[in-house]
Amino acid sequence: MSDWTDRPGQPPPEWSPRRDPPSPALAPPTRKAPPPSTRTAPLPGMPSSAAPGRYDSGPDPRGGRGSRNPRRRAGRGRRYLRTAGVLVSALVLGGAGTYVWADTRLNQEVDLGALGARVPAGEGTTYLVVGSDSREGLSAQDRKDLNTGSAEGRRTDSVILLHTGANGTTMVSLPRDSWVTIPPYVDPGTGRGHRAAPDKLNAAFSLGGPDLLVRTVERNTGVRVDHYAEIGFAGFVGVVDAVGGVDLCLRRAVRDKDSGANLPAGCQTLDGAEALAFVRQRKQEARGDLGRTRNQQRFLAALARKAATPSTLADPSKSFPTLRAGLDTLIVDDGTELPDLMALFEAMRKATGGGGRQLNVPVADPDLCTPKGSAVKWDERRARALFNALREDRPPG
């Protein structure tokens, strides 16, 4: 509020006190009033022929400054409304254009409806969120810089069940080395059929892609997957870089030759390459794959906080590149539309931002000896109770 508004009865400093009218000898000659204008209001977007300036209707009968012409005031109000309308229209059309663009960029290559026999649908909505080691979108130099290797195909680096419903949001990390039963499947490359057999969860993805992974998760959890979302290395790095890096505090230095992680202890901002190395490393973790899932949850929480800040959401130079980077390597099921994807992001933000629950599947043995090497054995009783709660949309335990 300016100073003069706090002094009732005093005029603002830019106003000069009204002087007495000049004597008749000095008064300007009287002009004839112009004929009434027949000009209509200009069309929106066309310039007005009216001369700029302020109009005064004469002295205010109450004294003080003259009032503005009511017609002028109404005309100005209409222009304000037209201007506001144009701005709103631009925003709406811009948002609609972005919506259409993003919707057409969705890679809906997974057909959940073609999976055959599945577990019954539960309450609420459950997403299967997969971080894959797909190198699609990475150049040879990118692969070298990111320490991703040159392996072809896709394997899982993270598998998360994200459930949202009337009782809040729950994120459950499933270690990729979980010892599970892979259901019968047909090798998409050779056409050869395979019987159900025990193996690591990651094997389901590498043997049969998203379809077999979804069927394996449903068979071993009893939870129906409503939507599938997968993002590769390039998309992950792009999202982190688009938001300007992610702030993370490390209690100890993290160094891992395989992932390329070389991070000092303390608080720091990780760029895309550093973030990828951090969430992939596990050999330095005391609990191996379980330690990695905890790091992944920590990082997702930090990323969600950064991506949801007003400075990121309100800045098109950040929000649009973030959206573009995320969609570049994103794969979803054919039933996922942009509103479903936004609901997924919101659920993940809630789960990682303190408005939900972040859990690991209960484990009985983190180093189970198997014919396929060391694996993670779930605690059958506690895991079943957790998955039953998700299916029935109840708060876990």
Side-chain angles (χ1 to χ4, degrees), residues 3 128 139 225 237 240 257 273 290 311 342 344 351 356-357:
D3 293 339
L128 183 61
S139 66
V225 172
V237 171
V240 175
K257 182 179 179 180
L290 294 178
S311 61
M342 299 310 294
L344 163 62
R357 296 167 285 268

Side-chain angles (χ1 to χ4, degrees), residues 89-310:
S89 297
L91 291 173
V92 170
L93 290 175
T98 302
Y99 181 95
V100 172
W101 172 86
D103 199 45
T104 57
R105 289 287 291 258
L106 288 179
N107 183 359
Q108 300 168 309
E109 71 174 48
V110 180
D111 186 0
L112 296 181
L115 297 185
R118 303 176 64 193
V119 299
E123 300 294 328
T125 302
T126 300
Y127 303 85
L128 183 61
V129 183
V130 176
S132 80
D133 66 358
S134 170
R135 278 81 174 166
E136 184 176 349
L138 296 177
S139 66
Q141 187 61 45
D142 290 334
R143 298 184 185 195
K144 181 179 179 181
D145 293 341
L146 297 174
N147 283 77
T148 65
S150 56
E152 299 300 326
R154 286 143 57 190
R155 281 161 295 278
T156 56
D157 256 44
S158 62
V159 182
I160 296 172
L161 274 179
L162 183 66
H163 178 85
T164 182
N167 285 293
T169 302
T170 303
M171 174 188 290
V172 181
S173 291
L174 307 178
R176 69 175 195 169
D177 287 343
S178 296
W179 192 244
V180 295
T181 299
I182 296 181
Y185 71 98
V186 176
D187 189 313
T190 64
R192 179 185 173 188
H194 296 267
R195 297 180 179 178
D199 207 331
K200 295 181 182 180
L201 181 61
N202 188 42
F205 191 72
S206 60
L207 293 171
D211 293 358
L212 186 56
L213 178 63
V214 170
R215 293 177 56 220
T216 301
V217 168
E218 289 190 347
R219 172 168 180 151
N220 289 270
T221 66
V223 177
R224 176 76 167 252
V225 172
D226 299 299
H227 293 290
Y228 176 89
E230 172 195 338
I231 190 166
F233 283 165
F236 179 88
V237 171
V239 167
V240 175
D241 285 339
V243 299
V246 173
D247 303 324
L248 203 65
C249 294
L250 304 178
R251 295 180 181 176
R252 54 185 172 82
V254 176
R255 293 181 175 85
D256 182 73
K257 182 179 179 180
D258 290 342
S259 71
N262 186 15
L263 305 172
C267 296
Q268 55 207 289
T269 300
L270 307 186
D271 63 21
E274 293 168 334
L276 180 63
F278 173 72
V279 299
R280 292 183 64 214
Q281 64 87 25
R282 64 171 177 167
K283 292 184 178 178
Q284 186 173 306
E285 299 301 322
R287 303 193 70 190
D289 208 24
L290 294 178
R292 173 159 65 175
T293 60
R294 289 193 178 90
N295 286 339
Q296 290 169 349
Q297 290 187 353
R298 280 186 60 205
F299 183 81
L300 285 174
L303 177 59
R305 285 194 298 269
K306 183 65 175 287
T309 57

